[in-house]
Amino acid sequence: MKNLFRGYYRPSEAEFEELWKNAIISFDANALLQFYAYTSETRELFFSAMDKLQAQLWLTHQAAFEYQKNRIKTIVEQLDHYKAIDQKLGDFGNSLKELLDKRRRHSMLNPDELQSSFARTLDDLRRKIVDAKTNHPEDLNNDELRTKLDRYFEKSVGSPYDEKTHAEKIKEAMERLGKGIRPGVTDTKKGNERAAGDVIIWFQLIDKAKSDKKPTIFVTEENKDDWWQKIDKNIVGPHPQLVQEFAETTGQQVWFYQNDQFIEFATKHIEALSDKESSVEAATREVREVRQEVTERRAQMKDWEERMRALIPQLGQDHAILEAQKATLANKSIIKFLEYVKTQSHNADIEAVRAALRQVERDPSMVTMQALRQFLDRMRDEQRHNRNLGESDEASPGDTANDE
């Protein structure tokens, strides 16, 4: 029965040993991008594992493309932390000064002395922030992490589909998503190309396993039900449908890991890494903390996006809606954003929204800025998708619509 229902069986210890010895090991873009948030110690642990697994490493073309596409945005997010912390320190300093100014008459407290002491501490903290930013290993012009990854994957990235095959794969992907077949079903609102990204990665993993006749380990930081089987929101393993499809299509085993699981099991299965076990606990804890931060940030971004999406189309009809919404919006940059869009109510198109975005660029809130950028991206994708649909409807019977 096991051979018929591979998706419902966890590999045995012997099978895991064989998997780690012979499998193609492929990373998702999000797994590599999260390296930018890890400390140097945790990165080095990953690099130690990748050094030993060099001959097995391989990237799908789609994952490599998504890494390159999102790399700069990820670096900017990291650099924004310095600005956000400095802004918070400044805000705290101003609040303390205001409080001490109101408490000048006190029998035991000397406001000037306290203010002077805090100013020295604040200067010291800001110097440390400047030093950390100066020594940050990546910026837009000098990305040490990408240089390292280039070495690992220099000759280990899959080829892209040709134009015809790509169009066919996109069509197949959208048909799968329409039927609710994993992966990618939670991304169907993104538009054809973006919604199909996970499916294209999946197709390319299958192609490689069939070509090389080898099993596959896939490392991803996705947390969605698309990829995983969950019980009470806890991941218990790869989704059985995907493991089953992979086995039936390729005749090979597939297993998924998140970054913390990958480094934990790598040190377990690779004898040369046994001396790294003492570092694993701290590294896996850090990886999980970073994942939690990313999950919370995405939830906030989704909330802001839904608020903006619901509000903007109505601004030209009823400005009272703006006032009602403002009471529930805690972030000051969102208020600025909505105030600006209010003045553009007769022309609340994509350009007006972009202008609004420029108005809040100085705000240190990374969540807000990411929500705005994501919102703009989706608006642009929807406009492009609607425009393509219109052109397709107007095409003569002899024309062929471009799926891309």
Side-chain angles (χ1 to χ4, degrees):
M1 189 164 69
K2 182 176 180 179
N3 289 334
L4 292 175
F5 300 98
R6 294 291 299 179
Y8 294 90
Y9 288 82
R10 182 181 178 85
S12 66
E13 283 301 313
E15 287 173 323
F16 271 125
E17 286 291 343
E18 190 66 20
L19 196 64
W20 278 91
K21 285 180 182 177
N22 299 311
I24 299 159
I25 299 178
S26 190
F27 286 79
D28 201 351
N30 52 39
L32 297 178
L33 289 168
Q34 288 212 8
F35 283 18
Y36 285 97
Y38 299 159
T39 60
S40 58
E41 292 80 8
T42 295
R43 287 191 196 182
E44 286 303 318
L45 195 57
F46 276 92
F47 294 152
S48 294
M50 294 168 77
D51 285 338
K52 301 302 180 184
L53 298 166
Q54 175 80 66
Q56 296 171 252
L57 298 179
W58 181 81
L59 282 183
T60 66
H61 187 273
Q62 181 68 24
F65 165 69
E66 290 181 9
Y67 164 76
Q68 299 289 355
K69 183 180 71 172
N70 292 300
R71 181 185 67 89
I72 291 178
K73 180 177 72 173
T74 303
I75 293 174
V76 169
E77 289 173 7
Q78 288 298 304
L79 296 176
D80 279 350
H81 279 289
Y82 299 110
K83 181 178 179 182
I85 294 171
D86 185 72
Q87 179 68 43
K88 287 294 183 183
L89 287 173
D91 290 345
F92 182 74
N94 292 334
S95 298
L96 179 63
K97 183 178 185 304
E98 183 179 343
L99 177 64
L100 292 175
D101 285 344
K102 293 178 179 178
R103 300 289 189 275
R104 287 208 160 267
R105 295 188 178 278
H106 193 281
S107 60
M108 299 298 293
L109 294 177
N110 184 327
D112 292 334
E113 184 178 312
L114 288 173
Q115 182 68 27
S116 178
S117 178
F118 178 78
R120 289 193 296 273
T121 302
L122 183 60
D123 288 343
D124 182 54
L125 290 172
R126 281 180 159 159
R127 277 195 298 272
K128 290 179 178 179
I129 292 171
V130 170
D131 289 344
K133 186 175 182 179
T134 301
N135 295 314
H136 196 93
E138 289 86 32
D139 59 35
L140 301 185
N141 299 314
N142 179 33
D143 186 348
E144 293 180 10
L145 176 56
R146 183 168 68 166
T147 300
K148 193 91 171 179
L149 294 176
D150 283 342
R151 180 171 66 81
Y152 287 122
F153 298 104
E154 182 179 5
K155 298 179 181 179
S156 303
V157 177
S159 300
Y161 292 128
D162 59 49
E163 187 175 352
K164 179 182 177 183
T165 304
H166 181 73
E168 291 170 350
K169 293 293 184 180
I170 292 293
K171 181 179 179 181
E172 182 182 353
M174 298 312 293
E175 289 173 354
R176 285 174 60 108
L177 295 177
K179 296 175 183 177
I181 301 175
R182 292 172 171 82
V185 291
T186 59
D187 294 331
T188 52
K189 294 181 180 180
K190 292 182 179 179
N192 283 16
E193 289 282 352
R194 295 178 66 194
D198 281 357
V199 191
I200 297 300
I201 288 175
W202 183 239
F203 287 164
Q204 291 174 347
L205 289 171
I206 287 174
D207 292 343
K208 179 68 171 175
K210 287 171 68 175
S211 172
D212 290 11
K213 295 181 173 58
K214 288 185 176 182
T216 297
I217 288 173
F218 182 52
V219 186
T220 179
E221 275 297 293
E222 283 290 2
N223 200 35
K224 296 177 289 192
D225 297 352
D226 278 10
W227 294 96
W228 301 101
Q229 182 181 28
K230 295 182 179 181
I231 296 178
D232 294 331
K233 298 183 179 181
N234 295 315
I235 292 174
V236 295
H239 200 283
Q241 289 180 7
L242 294 175
V243 177
Q244 187 73 24
E245 179 186 357
F246 200 91
E248 292 176 353
T249 307
T250 69
Q252 301 293 333
Q253 177 80 51
V254 69
W255 201 254
F256 306 158
Y257 293 101
Q258 291 183 301
N259 279 356
D260 54 318
Q261 299 166 325
F262 169 78
I263 202 63
E264 182 178 352
F265 282 91
T267 53
K268 177 181 177 181
H269 288 280
I270 302 172
E271 187 175 349
L273 295 177
S274 58
D275 63 327
K276 303 289 184 181
E277 289 186 7
S278 60
S279 307
V280 170
E281 184 177 351
T284 54
R285 183 169 59 249
E286 179 188 334
V287 170
R288 289 165 189 159
E289 288 172 354
V290 169
R291 182 185 305 127
Q292 182 62 31
E293 290 174 6
V294 170
T295 300
E296 291 174 356
R297 189 160 63 241
R298 285 176 178 171
Q300 287 179 293
M301 288 167 61
K302 183 178 180 181
D303 179 57
W304 289 125
E305 183 184 352
E306 288 175 352
R307 291 172 187 266
M308 289 185 286
R309 184 175 291 277
L311 182 60
I312 288 175
Q314 304 174 65
L315 286 175
Q317 303 171 22
D318 187 358
H319 287 169
I321 296 174
L322 177 63
E323 299 306 317
Q325 286 281 341
K326 279 172 63 175
T328 65
L329 297 173
N331 192 294
K332 64 181 181 181
S333 63
I334 292 290
I335 301 296
K336 295 177 187 176
F337 174 80
L338 295 175
E339 287 283 12
Y340 186 84
V341 174
K342 173 180 174 180
T343 67
Q344 302 290 325
S345 58
H346 299 297
N347 186 31
D349 58 7
I350 189 68
E351 289 307 318
V353 178
R354 286 189 181 283
L357 177 62
R358 289 193 290 272
Q359 293 290 310
V360 297
E361 277 290 349
R362 294 184 179 180
D363 190 274
S365 170
M366 291 177 291
V367 170
T368 299
M369 295 310 305
Q370 291 170 32
L372 292 173
R373 291 187 183 110
Q374 181 171 304
F375 177 68
L376 295 175
D377 286 343
R378 292 195 183 182
M379 283 187 67
R380 186 176 62 250
D381 287 346
E382 288 174 7
Q383 286 189 341
R384 185 185 298 121
H385 181 57
N386 293 336
R387 197 160 52 241
N388 289 341
L389 286 178
E391 292 172 357
S392 176
D393 292 340
E394 295 172 4
S396 65
D399 291 333
T400 301
N402 186 351
D403 287 336
E404 296 186 64

